[in-house]
Amino acid sequence: MIAYIIRRALYAIPILIGVNIITFVLFFVVNSPDDVAKLHLGQKHITTQQIEDWKRERGYHLPLFINGERQGVEKFSETIFFQKSFKLFLFDFGSSDSGRDIGYDISNRMWPSLAISIPQLLVGLLVTISFALLIAFFRATYIDYWAVVICVALMSISALFYIIGGQFIVGKLLKVVPISGYDTDLHAFKFLILPVLIGVIGGLGSGTRWYRTIFLEEVSKDYVRTARAKGISEQLVLFRHVLRNALIPILTGVVVILPTLFIGSLLTESFFGIPGLGSYTIDAINRQDFAIVRSMVFLGSVLYIIGLLLTDISYTLVDPRIRFS
Amino acid sequence: MPFQPVILLTDALFFLLTAAIIIFVWVAKNRPHLRRPWMEVLTRTTGVVSLTVILFYYSIAILDSLHFHPKLDRSQNSEHQYSSEILSVLDVLMTPMRTQVEKTFSAPLATQYLAKEMVQYEDGSVDMQYKRLDYGGSHLQNSATEKKADLLLLLLKGTVVAVIMWALVWVFIAFLLRKPWQLSIAQCISRIVRNDTVIPFRAVAITTGILILLVAIAAFVGSKYHLFGTDKVGQDVFYQAVKSIRTGILIGSLTTLVMLPLAITLGAMAGYFKGWVDDVIQYIYTTLNSIPNVLLIAAAVLLLQVYMSNNAENFDSLTARADLRLLFLCLILGITSWTGLCRLLRAETFKLREMEYIQAARTVGLKNITILSRHVMPNFMHIVIINIAIDFSGLVLAEAVLSYINIGVDPTMNSWGNMINQARLEMARDPLVWWSLTAAFVFMFTLVLFANLFADVVRDALDPRVSNHSK
């Protein structure tokens, strides 16, 4: 079991190297630091000296791969590739184009992200699973048919409308909770209700429909028929047999997104003014701060790979056959 | 010539795609095994209704893709005979809405501006009052008393025209059907009305009726009023929403065009050759997959912006620039979205290559490439088509989100995302400016809803697993 996990973890290394190479090529080879400097300094009336200064301040003045001016190890370490890309492996993100320490910002900003994404995931799971189970109970009736139609309709509404509509109705018309903002400690609670609620409603359509399929697949299996043949009531069949077994694919499906909860949601956070990693990323994109975007790309990939790893592990825990194959 | 045609890059690709679809339909018509699942789609009411709506959107996108330079009036100056402005056929059809630009916000069907303005009288006194719009309802003498009657009249005119056109269309369809059904036109119509047909024509008739009615009313009312009001710079919101259809459809369809070759060739190769080919391909898609899509798109679009601002001289017009950005967006969306389909196709090819007929083909000595193209690929095409259908609605939704974060289409281009993005800032105004959002919502929701419903029907019809299950 442990050997299996180690083997899977080792697979992650070449993938991370690949991600690193892609981001390096995108950010430094396709457009040279000179182009980026020009973009930041504005187009007209800039001297080469200004560009040089801008690059030197942010460490982009170094050569890409090999520094001919240095000796020994420094020949390779004093390069953009080592300073900007390789150091990501050590989770040393460096400083942003505006001079702030990215690692510090990330460690501060992941808590608000988690404060939204974890309740959103838990409440969302609870609600969608209950709805899906209810629909599975009424399967092949008009209730089932219309529930699926409503799910499809809910899925067809853009996330933007959920957020704008929710903000408008709950925050502005009913004035129950503040529209946006964030606070420390427990005061944050009132700011979190609306984004969590909207997140849950936004995911309701696709989630319910997906879990309904899983439940229906489970319902048609032989052991369920056996249980029914034994005379167990339909409710008991659903709760004791179907729900328990269907939870296996549902939960293993959830595991893969667990690590990405840190990053939070780009849209929700920027709409509600929550100082998490999602709004951090959006701000960086809007300010064209390439250092932050690059760090977030790397961090996102690491978290995704961890998610894959956790999925593999959870499969082995659930299904012993995988361990021995 | 009164105009000079222009084919933008996206236009060319879109026409290519349309041609490919037409060829596919033509080929499939004569092959029973391709025909059967599609007939199943057509016999379902949801299937034909959503197909009708999607085709309606698609034809608007086609009209909006026929671009040209209009001719300038002063023809004696031979060097500048054509305007540098690029218009589409749709622009011409919607001319009053396109050209009748007010100064700022006005509510749907309004005759006055939204906010009071200062008016100076001849005697020097100053007063705040609602000014009349330059175009919306400008034909009325007294807007307060005449507007209702005028709107009703326009509505009535639109309905009458719609009913006549709809009747003509369906008599013509009945005329076409009379041969294959071997009935008279009247009998054909009565059969459609009784819903006694294999393909539910009655549902199609109702859908087209609604669509024609909406178009006619929009044409009549829209020529005199602003149906969905005007935005901050006085542009007609209805016109913007209609123009956005092309962007939505193009993102949904051109992305597929980018994604398919990658997914099909790599998926088939990985599954068929196994070994190191499989390892390499798996490595490529796991790596690409592990980069969060939004961030990869953001990084790519940021880089495009850098490139464009440094090579501004290469882009002669704003339209060409916006067009290139749209194409680039499709390209990058394609690169981020082929991995899912590739994985499915790889798994399917794994299964197929162990089939006896493939082993037989290999024993006979067919080349790998022949086996792949003749025996493997046709047998996983249903997965490809199901995936195209499912992905389409997701891509339309993605466009809106990306444009909101400013990494979508060019800000000057009409798109639902841009409309939402601009309208969002107006939500804080009092009185509330809700019409831009509503227009974007209605148009986008309709397209995505019917695309989703269509995808469901296509999946049920094409997926052998599902159809065996239900029979």
Side-chain angles (χ1 to χ4, degrees), chain B residues 289-410:
Chain B
N289 229 5
S290 72
I291 302 177
N293 279 351
V294 181
L295 289 175
L296 190 64
I297 295 166
V301 171
L302 280 185
L303 294 169
L304 181 78
Q305 276 173 1
V306 174
Y307 177 78
M308 278 188 166
S309 66
N310 288 330
N311 300 286
E313 67 275 10
N314 291 353
F315 307 104
D316 43 358
S317 71
L318 272 176
T319 318
R321 201 183 150 121
D323 186 67
L324 192 73
R325 179 152 167 180
L326 177 66
L327 188 64
F328 185 76
L329 194 69
C330 293
L331 195 74
I332 191 76
L333 276 169
I335 289 174
T336 54
S337 59
W338 64 274
T339 51
L341 179 59
C342 182
R343 184 180 301 161
L344 288 177
L345 294 182
R346 170 179 168 268
E348 187 69 16
T349 314
F350 261 150
K351 268 187 269 168
L352 287 176
R353 84 188 291 276
E354 304 305 326
M355 297 280 211
E356 276 167 4
Y357 73 95
I358 301 258
Q359 300 199 328
R362 220 174 306 157
T363 326
V364 170
L366 285 185
K367 284 189 205 130
N368 281 332
I369 186 142
T370 323
I371 298 177
L372 275 176
S373 60
R374 294 276 293 277
H375 300 294
V376 174
M377 288 180 185
N379 283 304
F380 63 43
M381 272 306 155
H382 65 281
I383 299 184
V384 175
I385 289 170
I386 292 169
N387 251 270
I388 295 175
I390 292 176
D391 283 351
F392 178 83
S393 56
L395 288 166
V396 176
L397 290 176
E399 183 277 322
V401 172
L402 293 177
S403 296
Y404 167 73
I405 335 180
N406 289 328
I407 53 172
V409 295
D410 197 82

Side-chain angles (χ1 to χ4, degrees), chain A residues 14 18-19 26 31 35 39 43 153 156 158 161 168 172 209 266-267 271 281-282 285-286 288 296 301 304, chain B residues 283 286-287 290 294-295 298-299 303 305-306 309-310 400 404-407 424 427 432 441 444-445 449 452 456:
Chain A
V19 171
L26 270 179
N31 283 295
D35 296 334
L39 183 80
Q43 284 302 297
S156 308
S158 166
F161 288 115
F168 183 71
K172 239 179 146 180
R209 203 168 84 120
L266 299 182
L267 283 185
F271 263 106
T281 315
I282 287 219
I285 292 171
N286 286 334
Q288 310 196 316
M296 293 309 291
S301 328
Y304 177 82
Chain B
Y283 172 71
T286 321
T287 308
S290 72
V294 181
L295 289 175
L303 294 169
Q305 276 173 1
V306 174
S309 66
N310 288 330
Y404 167 73
I405 335 180
N406 289 328
I407 53 172
R424 192 180 57 92
M427 287 298 278
L432 183 76
F441 175 79
M444 202 163 132
F445 178 70
L449 177 69
N452 272 334
D456 270 11

Side-chain angles (χ1 to χ4, degrees), chain B residues 8 10-11 64-65 67 240 243-248 250-251 318-327 329-330 399 403 408-420 422:
Chain B
L8 299 171
T10 47
D11 294 343
D64 203 9
S65 297
H67 286 107
Q240 287 179 348
K243 285 286 280 180
S244 304
I245 290 175
R246 173 176 185 263
T247 315
L250 245 63
I251 295 246
L318 272 176
T319 318
R321 201 183 150 121
D323 186 67
L324 192 73
R325 179 152 167 180
L326 177 66
L327 188 64
L329 194 69
C330 293
E399 183 277 322
S403 296
V409 295
D410 197 82
T412 59
M413 193 160 203
N414 285 307
S415 88
W416 292 313
N418 281 337
M419 282 176 75
I420 299 167
Q422 281 154 19

Side-chain angles (χ1 to χ4, degrees), chain A residues 1-297:
Chain A
M1 176 77 186
I2 291 171
Y4 173 79
I5 293 172
I6 292 174
R7 197 154 46 93
R8 297 292 315 175
L10 288 178
Y11 280 144
I13 294 171
I15 293 172
L16 280 179
I17 294 175
V19 171
N20 210 321
I21 291 173
I22 290 177
T23 47
F24 181 80
V25 169
L26 270 179
F27 284 98
F28 293 109
V29 182
V30 176
N31 283 295
S32 69
D34 282 3
D35 296 334
V36 180
K38 271 186 216 159
L39 183 80
H40 275 260
L41 292 169
Q43 284 302 297
K44 284 160 194 159
H45 314 301
I46 40 167
T47 58
T48 39
Q49 185 58 39
Q50 276 175 309
I51 293 179
E52 272 310 307
D53 288 345
W54 189 90
K55 278 160 60 185
R56 190 168 294 276
E57 263 171 48
R58 290 159 184 79
Y60 294 139
H61 62 289
L62 299 166
L64 281 183
F65 294 106
I66 296 168
N67 194 339
E69 294 166 15
R70 304 296 179 96
Q71 293 300 315
V73 189
E74 283 199 342
K75 205 168 185 170
F76 299 100
S77 69
E78 287 297 311
T79 58
I80 289 185
F81 182 74
F82 184 83
Q83 293 290 336
K84 300 287 171 193
S85 272
F86 186 76
K87 277 194 174 170
L88 290 175
F89 282 116
L90 311 170
F91 291 95
D92 177 357
F93 297 114
S95 59
S96 69
D97 286 347
S98 54
R100 288 176 62 91
D101 182 15
I102 297 177
Y104 175 78
D105 275 348
I106 288 178
S107 61
N108 266 338
R109 278 174 163 258
M110 64 187 215
W111 301 112
S113 288
L114 284 175
I116 287 190
S117 50
I118 290 179
Q120 190 175 317
L121 176 74
L122 294 179
V123 177
L125 270 182
L126 194 73
V127 173
T128 43
I129 289 177
S130 324
F131 272 135
L133 204 59
L134 203 65
I135 296 174
F137 183 74
F138 291 110
R139 64 188 170 279
T141 63
Y142 272 104
I143 297 176
D144 181 22
Y145 176 80
W146 283 107
V148 173
V149 170
I150 291 172
C151 282
V152 175
L154 284 177
M155 281 165 62
S156 308
I157 300 174
S158 166
L160 294 166
F161 288 115
Y162 281 112
I163 297 176
I164 297 174
Q167 255 181 345
F168 183 71
I169 293 166
V170 180
K172 239 179 146 180
L173 285 185
L174 306 173
K175 298 204 163 80
V176 186
V177 287
I179 293 180
S180 73
Y182 195 69
D183 206 342
T184 46
D185 307 326
L186 286 173
H187 300 292
F189 184 70
K190 64 172 187 240
F191 290 102
L192 294 180
I193 298 174
L194 190 55
V196 169
L197 184 76
I198 288 174
V200 169
I201 296 175
L204 206 58
S206 54
T208 309
R209 203 168 84 120
W210 173 232
Y211 294 152
R212 171 187 169 270
T213 330
I214 294 180
F215 283 133
L216 289 189
E217 206 162 285
E218 210 66 34
V219 164
S220 61
K221 282 187 179 164
D222 285 344
Y223 73 90
V224 177
R225 198 184 307 151
T226 315
R228 269 200 219 110
K230 286 197 301 188
I232 301 176
S233 71
E234 186 65 27
Q235 288 95 319
L236 216 56
V237 170
L238 272 184
F239 276 101
R240 185 166 291 169
H241 297 278
V242 175
L243 178 62
R244 273 199 199 172
N245 284 292
L247 275 181
I248 296 173
I250 291 176
L251 291 182
T252 41
V254 166
V255 166
V256 72
I257 61 160
L258 283 183
T260 52
L261 292 180
F262 283 97
I263 301 242
S265 150
L266 299 182
L267 283 185
T268 317
E269 286 183 17
S270 77
F271 263 106
F272 291 99
I274 285 152
L277 283 178
S279 55
Y280 187 56
T281 315
I282 287 219
D283 290 346
I285 292 171
N286 286 334
R287 280 205 318 269
Q288 310 196 316
D289 193 324
F290 288 70
I292 297 177
V293 177
R294 209 173 52 233
S295 309
M296 293 309 291
V297 167

